[in-house]
Amino acid sequence: MDLKTPGLYIHIPFCLSKCHYCDFYSLTSISAVPDFLDALFKEMEMYRNRFNPFDTVYIGGGTPSLLSPQQLESVLVNVRENFNLISNPEITIETNPADLNRSFLESMRENGINRITIGVQSFDEKVLGFLGRRHSVKQAISAIEASRKAGFHNIGLDLIYGVPAQDIGSWLDTLKQAVVFSPEHISCYQLTLETKTPLGMRYQAGEFSIPGEELQYEFFMKTSNFLKDAGYIHYEVSNFARGTEYTSRHNQKYWDHSPFLGLGPAAHSFQSNQRWWNHQSLDQYIAAINAGNLPIEETETLMIEQLRLEALYLGLRTKKGVSLQDIKNRYDYDLFTEKKEMLDKLQEEGFISIQDSYLYPTQTGLAIADSLSLI
Ligand code: SF4
């Protein structure tokens, strides 16, 4: 039995329109929402009593804010009927600014949702247009203000940088505008161009260029320094919190191999050394459940070496770093002895620091976290 507290993820696979950079699975028609919810509630029943009480629930997507207040309420009622939650769970919902109004937000609060992330992406209309977002800057601002008024004390803003229509100055303008609202959490993701997306195809056709490595590094460092000066902790490569109490409890589970159960199409789960994921297609997902089966597409058993590599890869992306003792206990590997020379070199070059048997990435280390994990 895993001693770490598990988290629950629920995937809502609908978006009214597809953003030009997105390759996540989602459907642009919401006509199948009722059938999806029926299947989701059956899937919850199938997992009843199979996990310890959850301390986080994360409703992500897709666009969960496309559900009606009644549908969202039924999701949370079914969660509570089928699973135990600890007394003060973190319950998060991902939202699009275009969907948020005061009464919807108040009903979210009444249903126990205590953390909201708002997909603002940019406070620059040109950038929003380039990304194909379906909301405006004005809607983003009123969504943030309405969330505060509805009683949210834990608001996260998602932002994207490294967009071709944007230079560092205009990105910093977006950050300046973001901190005006004192959100408790800010995620800054660098734009990645996936080949089959509209932006990926335009890029391959040579329509625009994207920042090279040096400029990406500059975006990263300017972002980190600006938000630190504004009072935020840079606690993971892409994530900033206005105090340790506002770091995402749920996302931490992905970074430290805590168990989590993912429900809904394409959702991933992890427990002990098993990882499994659901059918991506909504039709297949619903058909499997209606036939009385778990809608699992595949299950993978991870070897201890894979788990160790993942633990390093994920841990070195966080300010919390990696416990050398933990690596020894959980994965039977003495990193300090096995890689002493490499660790000394990285420390000398200022990418990591080692204190009290913990390996921490420095700010420069965080900027190249993916290469750091190759130690
Ligand atoms: S709202 Fe999110 S999931 Fe939906 S298309 Fe846009 S980026 Fe993708």
Side-chain angles (χ1 to χ4, degrees):
M1 176 74 71
D2 208 313
L3 295 175
K4 295 194 175 190
T5 312
L8 178 64
Y9 174 79
I10 298 170
H11 189 72
I12 309 292
F14 301 94
C15 292
L16 276 193
S17 60
K18 289 299 283 184
C19 304
H20 297 167
Y21 55 93
C22 178
D23 76 339
F24 291 145
Y25 174 75
S26 62
L27 300 162
T28 48
S29 158
I30 53 170
S31 59
V33 169
D35 288 345
F36 158 68
L37 289 179
D38 281 349
L40 178 71
F41 301 155
K42 287 184 192 149
E43 191 186 13
M44 288 184 189
E45 278 173 35
M46 292 176 181
Y47 280 105
R48 198 191 268 247
N49 296 329
R50 284 190 40 187
F51 277 76
N52 282 340
F54 296 110
D55 70 340
T56 63
V57 178
Y58 193 104
I59 307 172
T63 313
S65 51
L66 281 181
L67 297 185
S68 68
Q70 294 72 22
Q71 287 168 334
L72 197 54
E73 181 181 356
S74 66
V75 169
L76 288 154
V77 165
N78 276 275
V79 165
R80 292 194 169 91
E81 274 175 12
N82 286 292
F83 304 113
N84 290 319
L85 304 182
I86 62 144
S87 63
N88 181 25
E90 174 190 273
I91 306 185
T92 305
I93 184 166
E94 283 180 355
T95 64
N96 184 302
D99 305 329
L100 300 180
N101 59 53
R102 182 80 179 266
S103 69
F104 188 19
L105 287 157
E106 281 170 357
S107 82
M108 290 180 191
R109 290 290 298 124
E110 280 157 21
N111 285 309
I113 297 175
N114 50 24
R115 183 168 183 270
I116 184 168
T117 68
I118 306 175
V120 170
Q121 315 310 354
S122 176
F123 287 104
D124 181 335
E125 214 67 71
K126 268 204 319 273
V127 172
L128 291 181
F130 185 86
L131 295 173
R133 297 290 301 179
R134 72 175 163 93
H135 70 272
S136 63
V137 171
K138 200 167 160 225
Q139 283 174 310
I141 293 172
S142 35
I144 301 166
E145 289 172 345
S147 302
R148 247 335 153 221
K149 286 191 189 129
F152 277 98
H153 304 298
N154 195 348
I155 297 178
L157 306 186
D158 286 351
L159 303 172
I160 293 185
Y161 68 93
V163 179
Q166 174 191 57
D167 57 20
I168 290 197
S170 72
W171 164 241
L172 286 176
D173 287 343
T174 275
L175 286 180
K176 281 178 201 153
Q177 176 69 71
V179 299
V180 164
F181 302 103
S182 295
E184 283 67 29
H185 195 273
I186 299 181
S187 298
C188 300
Y189 299 107
Q190 188 179 312
L191 178 68
T192 47
L193 295 176
E194 307 295 344
T195 32
K196 288 193 183 130
T197 60
L199 278 189
M201 289 193 270
R202 285 179 58 194
Y203 173 68
Q204 282 155 48
E207 279 189 40
F208 55 81
S209 59
I210 48 166
E213 256 178 46
E214 260 177 50
L215 190 52
Q216 281 178 20
Y217 180 77
E218 203 180 334
F219 266 109
F220 183 92
M221 293 309 258
K222 287 250 158 72
T223 305
S224 177
N225 290 335
F226 176 86
L227 289 176
K228 276 186 190 167
D229 290 346
Y232 288 81
I233 306 166
H234 190 174
Y235 75 98
E236 196 265 351
V237 171
S238 312
N239 289 292
F240 299 82
R242 200 157 58 72
T244 46
E245 67 276 36
Y246 297 119
T247 59
S248 165
R249 213 197 281 173
H250 184 82
N251 286 344
Q252 186 61 43
K253 298 188 186 297
Y254 303 140
W255 304 327
D256 69 6
H257 276 157
S258 294
F260 55 87
L261 172 62
L263 304 174
H268 282 57
S269 305
F270 178 80
Q271 193 174 36
S272 304
N273 61 347
Q274 300 268 312
R275 177 169 291 134
W276 65 97
W277 52 95
N278 282 350
H279 297 301
Q280 178 162 299
S281 128
L282 181 62
D283 288 343
Q284 266 182 294
Y285 168 83
I286 292 176
I289 290 177
N290 287 341
N293 301 319
L294 282 172
I296 296 175
E297 168 117 352
E298 215 172 311
T299 301
E300 184 184 25
T301 301
L302 294 153
M303 298 293 117
I304 198 161
E305 293 78 23
Q306 287 170 283
L307 288 167
R308 166 169 52 83
L309 286 174
E310 277 191 10
L312 274 178
Y313 171 77
L314 297 167
L316 284 171
R317 295 174 63 87
T318 65
K319 186 179 158 70
K320 219 168 144 189
V322 170
S323 155
L324 297 171
Q325 195 56 50
D326 201 33
I327 295 284
K328 208 170 184 171
N329 296 344
R330 286 184 94 177
Y331 312 109
D332 194 23
Y333 189 77
D334 190 340
L335 184 67
F336 198 61
T337 314
E338 300 280 342
K339 299 281 180 178
K340 182 154 184 5
E341 237 174 79
M342 173 73 88
L343 294 179
D344 285 346
K345 190 162 176 276
L346 288 171
Q347 199 166 9
E348 254 170 52
E349 289 170 356
F351 293 117
I352 57 166
S353 71
I354 301 174
Q355 285 164 39
D356 304 329
S357 191
Y358 264 83
L359 187 62
Y360 302 98
T362 60
Q363 186 189 32
T364 333
L366 275 183
I368 57 141
D370 290 349
S371 330
L372 265 194
S373 63
L374 299 176
I375 51 176

